Amino acid sequence: MPVIKYPRVRDPLFYEWDRKAQKCGLRHTVYAVNGDQYTGEWLDNLKHGKGTQIWKSTGAIYSGDWKFGKRDGYGSYSILDPVTKEYKRVYTGWWENDRRGGRGMFFYPNGELYEGEWSNGLRSGWGKMHYKDGSTYEGQWLTDQPNGQGLLRLPNGNRYEGGWKDGKKHGPGKYFYPDKGQLLEGIWVADIPKCGVLVDFGRDNAPAPTQFPLPEIELHDPAGVLAQARAMFDDSHN
């Protein structure tokens, strides 16, 4: 009895071509139409896993984690210096949904440095800023500005500890003058002290104390003017 052989059913060639074109797993460098290039891992045609992207228009480079086509996880972003042709680090830390999110370090072009928490690409949470003039701010941030409680240290040794709002001293705070051996404790509004008490503080060890010590003032109000002002400030902001 003759054996009848039927031709094996095969998918059209374009199915095979499409399967091979799908990017999944570790791949060599893939070039986009605009000249950008990516080397790393893929999942369902999306950058996913570890990978390095180079943008042709700017020469910037990102190396780190990806999730469904976006920078997500831990990674480093650097830009190319047009003069020296060397890469300068801009940000190293955590990313969320293609933006800086979590803890990270940002290096500014003028030499300033921020190390701390980020949210939606902005400084938010707890962080420390190193300014070009030598001063530092460490404390709470919100939408890229000091907000909440923080400590500002100036190059001359003076410091402010207290409340902040929209990048300015705001609310109860203490301003220390170690060079003069004095302390101003009061209420600030938009960087301006509205009321407070100036007292000697470590005057004996101050390098340049004022000529005469401050006289001690006895308040008839046992609660103190400063305490009343602070209570009024809290009530007006509740």
Side-chain angles (χ1 to χ4, degrees):
M1 182 177 179
V3 177
I4 300 176
K5 293 184 178 181
Y6 296 96
R8 189 173 59 181
V9 178
R10 298 186 60 182
D11 292 331
L13 287 177
F14 67 83
Y15 280 108
E16 180 69 13
W17 296 337
D18 182 68
R19 184 185 64 80
K20 291 182 178 180
Q22 297 297 312
K23 293 184 285 292
C24 190
L26 183 61
R27 296 289 294 267
H28 295 295
T29 303
V30 175
Y31 294 87
V33 177
N34 61 3
D36 295 347
Q37 55 184 14
Y38 172 81
T39 305
E41 297 176 302
W42 298 78
L43 179 65
D44 297 334
N45 278 334
L46 296 174
K47 304 174 189 112
H48 192 88
K50 301 288 185 181
T52 299
Q53 166 103 9
I54 300 177
W55 286 267
K56 182 180 179 180
S57 60
T58 62
I61 182 172
Y62 169 81
S63 182
D65 296 326
W66 297 79
K67 187 175 181 180
F68 302 118
K70 296 182 178 180
R71 291 168 292 185
D72 199 298
Y74 190 86
S76 181
Y77 178 81
S78 303
I79 59 175
L80 185 64
D81 189 302
V83 178
T84 63
K85 303 301 180 182
E86 296 180 350
Y87 278 100
K88 291 185 176 180
R89 185 171 46 171
V90 176
Y91 176 77
T92 298
W94 292 91
W95 300 74
E96 293 178 354
N97 197 28
D98 220 32
R99 295 182 176 182
R100 293 182 293 274
R103 291 196 60 84
M105 298 176 63
F106 192 94
F107 302 84
Y108 293 84
N110 62 358
E112 295 181 344
L113 166 67
Y114 172 81
E115 47 185 339
E117 297 177 314
W118 298 79
S119 180
N120 292 323
L122 301 176
R123 293 168 291 185
S124 293
W126 188 270
K128 185 175 184 179
M129 185 75 188
H130 302 261
Y131 295 97
K132 188 176 181 179
D133 63 358
S135 60
T136 62
Y137 168 82
E138 184 174 8
Q140 294 175 304
W141 295 75
L142 181 65
T143 59
D144 236 25
Q145 296 284 354
N147 270 276
Q149 294 296 309
L151 167 62
L152 174 67
R153 294 182 180 273
L154 300 180
N156 62 2
N158 293 349
R159 69 183 188 273
Y160 168 81
E161 301 176 12
W164 294 80
K165 183 179 180 182
D166 298 331
K168 296 181 179 180
K169 294 182 282 291
H170 194 84
K174 298 178 180 180
Y175 203 110
F176 294 84
Y177 300 89
D179 56 337
K180 298 183 181 299
Q182 293 180 332
L183 162 65
L184 173 62
E185 183 176 3
I187 304 294
W188 271 258
V189 177
D191 250 0
I192 300 176
K194 293 297 184 179
C195 64
V197 178
L198 184 65
V199 298
D200 286 332
F201 181 83
R203 177 184 174 82
D204 295 337
N205 298 322
T210 54
Q211 184 176 1
F212 302 103
L214 293 173
E216 295 184 3
I217 300 177
E218 295 183 2
L219 299 177
H220 297 290
D221 180 5
V225 175
L226 182 59
Q228 292 185 24
R230 182 175 297 170
M232 292 175 63
F233 179 87
D234 293 339
D235 292 340
S236 64
H237 286 75
N238 286 336

